[in-house]
């Protein structure tokens, strides 16, 4: 009797224990179980920095994904990479705003539902940004922007001297002026210097004058630089001024102690604008949408503003509020503080012009001239 009772007790205990273990396994949160699964790979075509850990790590951990970036420099390079790749190669595409219409016309990006994104939190100027929509349909979501003007070494050039694009012709800068190697920002700046109120919408006569003026700068030029070369040449003093860039380059250098800065000169500046689209044919459009929602949320916007590769201004007002709490020094440095003078004043005063694709010439006309200028 005693042995039978003991056996029954042992059996009951076994069932109780295994039942508890089974229940615990069934109750394990989905997120914990997913942690054992290999992350889903998400491809991103973008400027350098957008898929680096300081921007994407939190999102990757939350959604068990891993970004696989393909980085480019310049919109022409971006279009070429997509054209050479099968549909569905890129799940997420970051592009400069002026190229969105070309992406759409070529069938490279998907239509989006504006209700999925926090446009109500954006500044009014950015809620329906030109070029991102076609016939009332959204194709790309505005995520960050910045200004282009005169970038200069503060030990060689005073702020007063830098307040005009004419500084690039200053004799003391001979051989020390660099170009960020992309025709749109450089020629756009010189177009402003020539007095063109719409720097990318100029007739044949104005375009000829733009070419003539640009050629006169060639003896001053010490080099044409990609992203990395622009950073290093300003940091080591190889170049004392740089055309075609702004705080997106000098901001990172300045924060790390380099004696460089950017200003918007009297002739005005250009605005670069970046936005995210979902690649046509992506098999991971749902997670791509979640990424765009994340990076345009207040939390994601703070990540974007503070991106290690290059800082930026952000269009989400709630992002500005959170930035002021989390990194107040950077919010102040970039001029993103509400209820006081800030970067929006530059736009609203008319000093900033959106960078565009040439209106009255073909993109290849500007590109061909730029190639001839480099080889001169």
């Amino acid at each position: 009797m005693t042995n039978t009772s003991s056996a029954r007790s042992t059996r009951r205990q076994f069932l109780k224990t295994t039942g508890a273990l089974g229940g615990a396994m069934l109750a394990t949160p989905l997120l914990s179980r997913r942690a054992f699964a290999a992350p889903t790979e998400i491809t991103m075509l973008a400027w350098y920095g957008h898929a680096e850990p300081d921007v994407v790590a939190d999102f990757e951990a939350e959604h068990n994904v891993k970004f696989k970036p393909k980085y480019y420099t310049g919109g022409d390079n971006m279009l070429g990479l997509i054209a050479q790749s099968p549909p569905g190669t890129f799940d997420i595409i970051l592009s400069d705003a002026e190229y969105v219409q070309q992406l759409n016309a070529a069938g490279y990006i998907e239509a989006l539902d504006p209700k999925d994104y926090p446009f109500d939190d954006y500044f009014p100027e950015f809620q329906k940004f030109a070029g991102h929509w076609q016939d009332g349909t959204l194709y790309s979501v505005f995520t960050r922007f910045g200004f282009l003007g005169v970038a200069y070494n503060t030990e060689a050039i005073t702020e007063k001297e830098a307040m005009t694009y004419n500084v690039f012709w200053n004799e003391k800068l001979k051989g020390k002026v660099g170009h960020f190697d992309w025709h749109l920002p450089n020629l756009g700046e010189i177009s402003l210097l020539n007095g063109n109120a719409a720097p990318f919408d100029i007739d044949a006569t104005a375009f000829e004058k733009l070419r003539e003026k640009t050629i006169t700068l060639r003896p001053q030029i010490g080099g044409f630089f990609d992203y990395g070369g622009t950073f290093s040449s300003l940091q080591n003093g190889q170049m004392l001024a740089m055309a075609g860039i702004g705080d997106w380059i000098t901001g990172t250098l300045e924060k790390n102690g380099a004696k460089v800065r950017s200003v918007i000169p009297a002739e005005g500046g250009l605005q670069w604008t970046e936005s995210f689209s979902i690649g046509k044919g992506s098999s991971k459009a749902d997670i791509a949408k979640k990424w765009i929602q994340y990076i345009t949320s207040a939390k994601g916007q703070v990540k974007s503003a503070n991106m290690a590769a290059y800082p930026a201004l952000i269009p989400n007002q709630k992002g500005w509020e959170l930035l002021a709490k989390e990194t107040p020094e950077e919010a102040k440095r970039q001029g993103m503080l509400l209820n006081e003078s800030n970067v929006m004043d530059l736009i609203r005063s008319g000093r900033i012009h959106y960078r565009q694709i040439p209106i009255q010439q073909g993109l290849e006309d500007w590109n061909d001239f730029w190639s001839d200028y480099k080889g001169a």
Side-chain angles (χ1 to χ4, degrees), residues 53-69:
D54 64 294
V55 181
V56 303
D58 289 351
F59 183 86
E60 287 181 329
E62 180 180 353
H63 296 279
N64 193 34
V65 299
K66 182 66 179 176
F67 283 97
K68 180 183 178 182

Side-chain angles (χ1 to χ4, degrees), residues 42-306:
I42 307 296
T43 55
M44 180 193 290
L45 181 64
W47 285 83
Y48 174 74
H50 285 269
E52 296 304 299
D54 64 294
V55 181
V56 303
D58 289 351
F59 183 86
E60 287 181 329
E62 180 180 353
H63 296 279
N64 193 34
V65 299
K66 182 66 179 176
F67 283 97
K68 180 183 178 182
K70 175 66 176 179
Y71 291 134
Y72 66 81
T73 298
D76 299 344
N77 181 223
M78 174 202 64
L79 289 173
L81 287 169
I82 300 175
Q84 296 162 18
S85 305
T89 298
F90 302 110
D91 300 307
I92 301 169
I93 298 172
L94 178 100
S95 71
D96 292 283
E98 60 266 37
Y99 285 85
V100 172
Q101 289 185 340
Q102 289 181 290
L103 289 172
N104 185 26
Y108 293 151
I109 53 179
E110 299 281 2
L112 305 174
D113 186 345
K115 295 177 183 177
D116 290 333
Y117 308 101
F119 288 119
D120 288 345
D121 296 336
Y122 279 30
F123 287 99
E125 290 87 345
F126 304 142
Q127 290 180 0
K128 201 163 185 179
F129 197 73
H132 287 176
W133 303 70
Q134 182 71 37
D135 299 326
T137 300
L138 177 69
Y139 287 92
S140 198
V141 181
F142 190 133
T143 186
R144 66 205 307 260
F145 67 105
F147 302 146
L148 308 174
V150 173
Y152 65 103
N153 184 304
T154 57
E155 295 181 325
I157 298 293
T158 67
E159 182 175 339
K160 182 178 179 180
E161 289 174 316
M163 287 303 292
T164 173
Y165 292 115
N166 283 316
V167 71
F168 295 140
W169 282 262
N170 191 311
E171 185 61 30
K172 66 182 176 181
L173 295 181
K174 191 175 183 65
K176 293 290 186 178
V177 177
H179 278 299
F180 178 62
D181 192 5
W182 187 14
H183 53 86
L184 283 184
N186 287 280
L187 297 182
E189 288 186 350
I190 298 177
S191 185
L192 285 173
L193 177 61
N194 275 3
N196 297 313
F200 299 97
D201 188 4
I202 57 177
D203 62 20
T205 300
F207 184 51
E208 180 58 30
K209 290 181 178 179
L210 170 59
R211 290 185 291 189
E212 291 173 356
K213 181 66 174 178
T214 304
I215 287 293
T216 67
L217 182 58
R218 191 65 181 85
Q220 295 286 102
I221 302 303
F224 296 80
F225 301 94
D226 62 8
Y227 172 86
T230 301
F231 263 101
S232 60
S233 63
L234 281 172
Q235 186 174 37
N236 62 26
Q238 178 188 357
M239 296 294 115
L240 300 179
M242 189 74 66
I245 64 163
D247 189 72
W248 72 280
I249 292 282
T250 59
T252 299
L253 292 170
E254 187 179 3
K255 286 191 291 183
N256 288 304
K259 304 298 184 182
V260 294
R261 192 168 298 155
S262 293
V263 295
I264 303 303
E267 297 90 359
L270 303 173
Q271 178 177 316
W272 59 266
T273 307
E274 292 177 345
S275 59
F276 276 112
S277 299
I278 297 175
K280 180 72 76 174
S282 168
S283 61
K284 299 157 189 170
D286 287 346
I287 194 67
K289 180 178 76 174
K290 288 179 180 179
W291 163 254
I292 300 174
Q293 290 171 331
Y294 169 80
I295 202 64
T296 55
S297 70
K299 180 181 178 181
Q301 289 280 273
V302 170
K303 295 279 189 186
S304 190
N306 286 303

